[in-house]
Amino acid sequence: MTQTEHKPEVNETPLVPIEKIVSLCKRRGFVFPNSEIYGGVAGIYDFGPLGVEMRNNIRRYWWWSMVQTHDNVVGIEGANITHPRVWEASGHVENFVDILVDCKKCKRRFRIDHLPPENVEQNKCPVCGGELTEPRKFNLLMETYLGVVEGDRMKTYLRGEACQNIYLDYDNVQKSSRMQIPFGICQIGKAYRNEVTPGNFLFRQREFEQWDLQFFVHPSEMQKWFDYWKEYRFNWYQSIINHKDRLHFREHGSDELAHYARQAFDIEYRTVLGWQEWEGIHWRQDWDLSRHSQYSGQDLSYTDPLTKERYIPWIVETSGGVDRTFLNLLLDAYEEQPDPMGKDNDRTVLHLHPWLAPVKVAVLPLQKNKEEIVSTAKSIHKNLQRFMVSQYDDIQNIGRRYRRQDEIGTPYCVTIDFQTLEDQTVTVRERDSMSQIRLPIAELQMYLLERVTWK
Ligand code: GAP
């Protein structure tokens, strides 16, 4: 069995069709098609009220675990536009291409590396069997122009990969922060690619967000740090998913390595799309700093303060996608549970990690026409809001309110009832088990914070 094949297990939870996630995202305000009222733009999306909360949680958790908890890692936030020479030095102007073929009969377009090998060999369309055109190269960089005067305008590019800013700022960061090798620089930022075949919702977009670590090392320590970050990133993804068996490594063959990589492993996750890349761990060696030294004329070598050895640092890169994480987490978390009583009470639940769920707690007064219950519920909600995203909901019966929260992945619901008025306790219901406990109001805040905050 090769690494990309999967042997189905009995009783395995079925893989979730992407359409279910698209529909939930639109219905509940996670993600909307961009410019929808004008018919939309392929491969570009906007995030709605719940989407932006979840996205911020994902970003913050990454930043916390990569930057804040590592003494030898710092962060930057670079611009989306850089000097055009950057993309010549990086190799993207020359090499960042998709090779495409069109079907002469049905006019469909395919990336040649996405076609089954037999179709490439036989030059045959996988859909209608028609003849394919000669392969053609398309550069993925998105062009833009700086300046307003015709003739004086400078052609440049929206960044095709976010990490380039890190190499550009490497020297400034190293000197201003007095970092010594080995050390890393992190960034979360947008990247733009003229993907010829965008699709599968957030999986392949034209505007998307990447998170990168570039870790600078002495060549003799490259293997050690490559192994360290490879394992660290794998464990990071394992810690936030339910289906641990759907995550694995795949090593790139020599014929598929990116132009800058000497060695690469993808962390892949299995969905209805099959095993697909979630994050890449790349052995970039001295490619980036050497090229930028050469193209800019600035010496980007490093002098070891102790040995005085002068060298171009080698780089371990871990590069993943915020949007792909968002999509994979929803696919991993989504479950439709039929009502065991056979009544009209099925539930859709998102088993999102409490750290990443967009809403942490819902505060629900059992009755909305009982003044003391309502005022107690509102005061609990107002207090919790200072520490976490809390929703107050008094519409419809309690069962329906639970279902609404389950569908958006809210890990805890707090119900205020008549007993609350007598003994100052509330009911806390946990999303996945649906179990309930009774807790004094005075302990509620700490109980929730313990469970919804990463550590
Ligand atoms: N600096 C290295 C680099 O950019 P990449 O494999 O092209 O490597 C890294 O991209 C990550 O960015 C991928 O693992 C994926 O999560 C995300 N990504 C790449 N292209 C994407 C696209 N068109 N839409 C959404 N996410 C994308």
Side-chain angles (χ1 to χ4, degrees):
M1 194 171 82
T2 66
Q3 271 185 309
T4 44
E5 284 169 350
H6 174 72
K7 191 166 160 285
E9 286 164 25
V10 184
N11 293 332
E12 192 179 66
T13 325
L15 297 170
V16 179
I18 301 264
E19 298 70 43
K20 296 250 183 202
I21 302 299
V22 176
S23 154
L24 174 81
C25 281
K26 175 102 194 285
R27 196 169 67 246
R28 299 307 310 271
F30 282 87
V31 184
F32 308 123
N34 173 274
S35 315
E36 194 180 13
I37 58 171
Y38 288 98
V41 185
I44 304 192
Y45 290 90
D46 291 345
F47 287 80
L50 291 181
V52 75
E53 293 295 344
M54 178 165 153
R55 205 174 155 83
N56 282 341
N57 292 341
I58 295 172
R59 283 199 201 105
R60 284 195 210 114
Y61 176 49
W62 184 89
W63 194 265
W64 175 84
S65 60
M66 298 295 285
V67 182
Q68 287 172 241
T69 56
H70 282 95
D71 292 329
N72 55 358
V73 179
V74 290
I76 62 159
E77 190 166 319
N80 289 354
I81 299 176
T82 58
H83 195 286
R85 290 271 287 163
V86 170
W87 303 98
E88 291 168 29
S90 70
H92 283 73
V93 170
E94 193 185 342
N95 297 314
F96 199 40
V97 289
D98 273 350
I99 302 180
L100 302 177
V101 286
D102 294 299
C103 173
K104 290 183 181 169
K105 195 168 153 201
C106 71
K107 309 293 177 207
R108 284 190 172 84
R109 176 164 289 173
F110 305 96
R111 266 174 63 170
I112 207 156
D113 58 334
H114 286 176
L115 282 178
E118 58 275 20
N119 290 80
V120 180
E121 266 164 40
Q122 296 163 14
N123 202 30
K124 203 163 119 186
C125 171
V127 179
C128 74
E131 192 191 343
L132 299 173
T133 58
E134 282 296 309
R136 285 178 299 156
K137 281 184 176 179
F138 281 85
N139 193 291
L140 304 191
L141 285 175
M142 248 185 226
E143 293 175 4
T144 187
Y145 293 85
L146 294 178
V148 286
V149 181
E150 201 59 50
D152 276 353
R153 299 201 313 163
M154 177 167 79
K155 182 173 116 178
T156 185
Y157 307 96
L158 298 178
R159 60 186 179 191
E161 58 174 8
C163 65
Q164 287 300 325
N165 296 78
I166 299 182
Y167 315 131
L168 303 177
D169 290 338
Y170 155 78
D171 201 42
N172 280 329
V173 171
Q174 194 268 319
K175 291 192 173 119
S176 61
S177 314
R178 290 183 290 121
M179 301 301 283
Q180 289 180 14
I181 280 179
F183 78 94
I185 305 179
C186 276
Q187 180 183 233
I188 301 180
K190 292 272 190 175
Y192 303 83
R193 293 181 188 175
N194 251 329
E195 297 280 0
V196 196
T197 51
N200 291 318
F201 193 35
L202 305 178
F203 185 80
R204 193 172 307 286
Q205 299 171 81
R206 289 178 163 143
E207 173 179 327
F208 56 99
E209 197 163 44
Q210 294 184 310
W211 46 43
D212 288 293
L213 160 75
Q214 306 294 321
F215 199 76
F216 302 89
V217 301
H218 186 276
S220 65
E221 293 208 307
M222 184 69 182
Q223 188 70 56
K224 177 179 118 186
W225 287 107
F226 189 77
D227 293 344
Y228 171 83
W229 286 110
K230 189 173 148 229
E231 191 189 334
Y232 187 85
R233 293 304 299 148
F234 190 85
N235 292 341
W236 191 87
Y237 285 111
Q238 280 276 3
S239 75
I240 53 172
I241 56 174
N242 298 294
H243 300 285
K244 317 274 185 213
D245 59 322
R246 294 185 188 163
L247 198 73
H248 76 189
F249 277 120
R250 188 179 72 80
E251 184 169 10
H252 282 210
S254 53
D255 55 337
E256 56 174 329
L257 285 172
H259 58 272
Y260 50 76
R262 301 286 169 279
Q263 207 191 112
F265 285 83
D266 284 344
I267 297 175
E268 290 191 331
Y269 183 74
R270 190 169 64 89
T271 67
V272 275
L273 306 175
W275 285 103
Q276 295 287 348
E277 174 185 346
W278 192 342
E279 170 156 323
I281 318 294
H282 304 134
W283 178 298
R284 293 184 80 121
Q285 209 148 312
D286 59 350
W287 163 268
D288 306 281
L289 294 184
S290 297
R291 292 277 289 197
H292 284 303
S293 288
Q294 185 191 335
Y295 277 69
S296 67
Q298 302 286 320
D299 181 6
L300 296 177
S301 58
Y302 172 84
T303 307
D304 188 295
L306 292 177
T307 64
K308 306 297 174 211
E309 183 189 356
R310 199 168 179 78
Y311 60 94
I312 293 277
W314 285 19
I315 294 176
V316 180
E317 171 183 71
T318 72
S319 181
V322 178
D323 311 82
R324 213 168 270 187
T325 302
F326 189 99
L327 174 62
N328 283 350
L329 289 181
L330 290 177
L331 287 164
D332 182 79
Y334 185 95
E335 191 189 2
E336 288 175 359
Q337 293 178 340
D339 179 3
M341 311 299 283
K343 295 194 182 137
D344 187 19
N345 211 8
D346 301 346
R347 75 166 187 156
T348 299
V349 55
L350 282 185
H351 300 283
L352 288 172
H353 198 300
W355 297 348
L356 307 178
V359 178
K360 306 298 183 192
V361 61
V363 179
L364 316 173
L366 193 65
Q367 296 212 340
K368 71 170 175 181
N369 47 11
K370 180 81 181 154
E371 173 51 30
E372 277 171 285
I373 289 185
V374 168
S375 61
T376 307
K378 284 191 173 160
S379 126
I380 290 174
H381 165 62
K382 278 284 153 207
N383 177 54
L384 291 176
Q385 257 186 340
R386 295 157 60 219
F387 305 96
M388 63 192 79
V389 178
S390 169
Q391 272 191 0
Y392 179 87
D393 186 4
D394 61 9
I395 312 290
Q396 296 182 303
N397 69 41
I398 198 77
R400 283 186 188 260
R401 284 184 262 167
Y402 284 152
R403 293 287 174 274
R404 274 203 293 276
Q405 295 298 333
D406 290 340
E407 201 187 25
I408 61 169
T410 307
Y412 297 99
C413 288
V414 172
T415 307
I416 288 80
D417 55 18
F418 288 100
Q419 194 184 327
T420 311
L421 305 181
E422 287 163 20
D423 64 4
Q424 296 293 297
T425 64
V426 290
T427 302
V428 181
R429 172 199 184 257
E430 196 274 331
R431 176 198 65 203
D432 297 340
S433 62
M434 294 189 274
S435 62
Q436 304 194 2
I437 56 165
R438 205 81 207 169
L439 212 65
I441 295 173
E443 290 174 25
L444 181 63
Q445 177 186 316
M446 199 43 78
Y447 178 89
L448 293 172
L449 277 175
E450 280 273 312
R451 287 159 178 78
V452 303
T453 319
W454 45 74
K455 47 188 166 302

